[in-house]
Amino acid sequence: MKDISYGALLAAFLFMTIPLWLSYKQKLGISKEILVASIRACIQLMIIGYIITFVFAIQSPIVFSLIILVMIVIAARTCAKQGSSFHSAFWIAFTAILATELVSVAIWVVFNIVDYEAQYILPMSGMIIGSSMVAVSLVFDRLQREFDLTKELIMGKLALGATNRHASQELIEATVKAALIPSTEAMKTIGLVQLPGMMTGAIIAGASPVIAVKYQLVIVLTAFGNTTIAAIMVCFLTYPAFFKQRMF
């Protein structure tokens, strides 16, 4: 596969001057966020590129398993910022993301989709963890908003004798649906509006388009299942906090 020079990367980075200029010109106040996000993305990806190169060289399942664990911790910490008003938000997010990651890897290995090697498990896990992280963050954010909207309805149901679980049915249902909107919309348009990253990368690397599609389907289906499981897990682990921390 053809290498890309650092000069070419710089040219791509210079493309970011357009949104920076637009933000400045229109006084949108997002120039700093765009600049910081761009620089962080470049630094983080370059660092992880060298780390993965090192991991590929030593071929140690223990090492890349620890890297995946670190990725899960970082994802859980990111989610916990959205759920900062809930006790144990980090551990709830960590449990959900870890559980979905373990299930995914087990399916890949047991059904011989890929071998338990860094070359396959690391990039595929990154996609799975990332999708779960987005879903969990959305659940934390939406759960609070939905509670604020339905608090009186919930208290009315409780007054009529409903359990906490039944009183929260609409709250849980609306939150899970909202958290899955990005995933469901992406599934509907995949292959029509967008060619997913893994499929595109495999084709550029020289793989058969059909084989690339098969690998992409594995990722898409696994990621969608994971986001659904993670969203439901976080909802059921978090909503009781309203009855302990907030309502009374």
Side-chain angles (χ1 to χ4, degrees), residues 110-131:
V110 170
F111 289 94
N112 200 31
I113 296 172
V114 295
D115 297 326
Y116 192 72
E117 297 177 3
Q119 179 182 354
Y120 308 107
I121 300 298
L122 265 180
M124 293 174 70
S125 293
M127 293 182 232
I128 296 302
I129 294 169
S131 62

Side-chain angles (χ1 to χ4, degrees), residues 24 61 86 185 242:
Y24 171 77
F86 300 107
E185 293 304 311
F242 289 119

Side-chain angles (χ1 to χ4, degrees), residues 38-137:
S38 302
I39 294 173
R40 281 191 59 175
C42 291
I43 295 173
Q44 289 167 185
L45 284 174
M46 290 304 296
I47 290 174
I48 197 63
Y50 285 110
I51 291 175
I52 292 176
T53 300
F54 170 75
V55 173
F56 283 3
I58 62 176
Q59 289 293 317
S60 171
I62 296 176
V63 173
F64 74 77
S65 296
L66 289 175
I67 291 176
I68 291 173
L69 183 61
V70 170
M71 292 164 63
I72 294 172
V73 170
I74 294 172
R77 284 176 60 87
T78 302
C79 296
K81 294 178 182 178
Q82 290 291 336
S84 57
S85 56
F86 300 107
H87 295 329
S88 303
F90 169 80
W91 290 110
I92 290 172
F94 178 82
T95 300
I97 297 173
L98 177 63
T100 54
E101 168 66 7
L102 290 175
V103 171
S104 299
V105 173
I107 291 173
W108 297 338
V109 174
V110 170
F111 289 94
N112 200 31
I113 296 172
V114 295
D115 297 326
Y116 192 72
E117 297 177 3
Q119 179 182 354
Y120 308 107
I121 300 298
L122 265 180
M124 293 174 70
S125 293
M127 293 182 232
I128 296 302
I129 294 169
S131 62
S132 297
M133 179 184 71
V134 171
V136 172
S137 295

Side-chain angles (χ1 to χ4, degrees), residues 121-202:
I121 300 298
L122 265 180
M124 293 174 70
S125 293
M127 293 182 232
I128 296 302
I129 294 169
S131 62
S132 297
M133 179 184 71
V134 171
V136 172
S137 295
L138 288 173
V139 166
F140 280 140
D141 179 67
R142 190 59 181 251
L143 202 60
Q144 178 60 60
R145 297 186 187 187
E146 289 297 329
F147 177 77
D148 292 338
L149 292 173
T150 60
K151 181 177 179 180
E152 293 183 0
L153 175 63
I154 292 173
M155 294 185 72
K157 289 183 177 181
L158 291 173
L160 293 174
T163 63
N164 292 352
R165 167 66 184 85
H166 287 99
S168 303
Q169 177 61 33
E170 286 80 4
L171 169 72
I172 295 171
E173 187 176 319
T175 300
V176 172
K177 285 181 178 178
L180 294 180
I181 287 175
S183 298
T184 53
E185 293 304 311
M187 289 269 285
K188 291 176 184 177
T189 59
I190 191 170
L192 298 175
V193 176
Q194 60 170 333
L195 293 179
M198 184 175 185
M199 174 183 167
T200 304

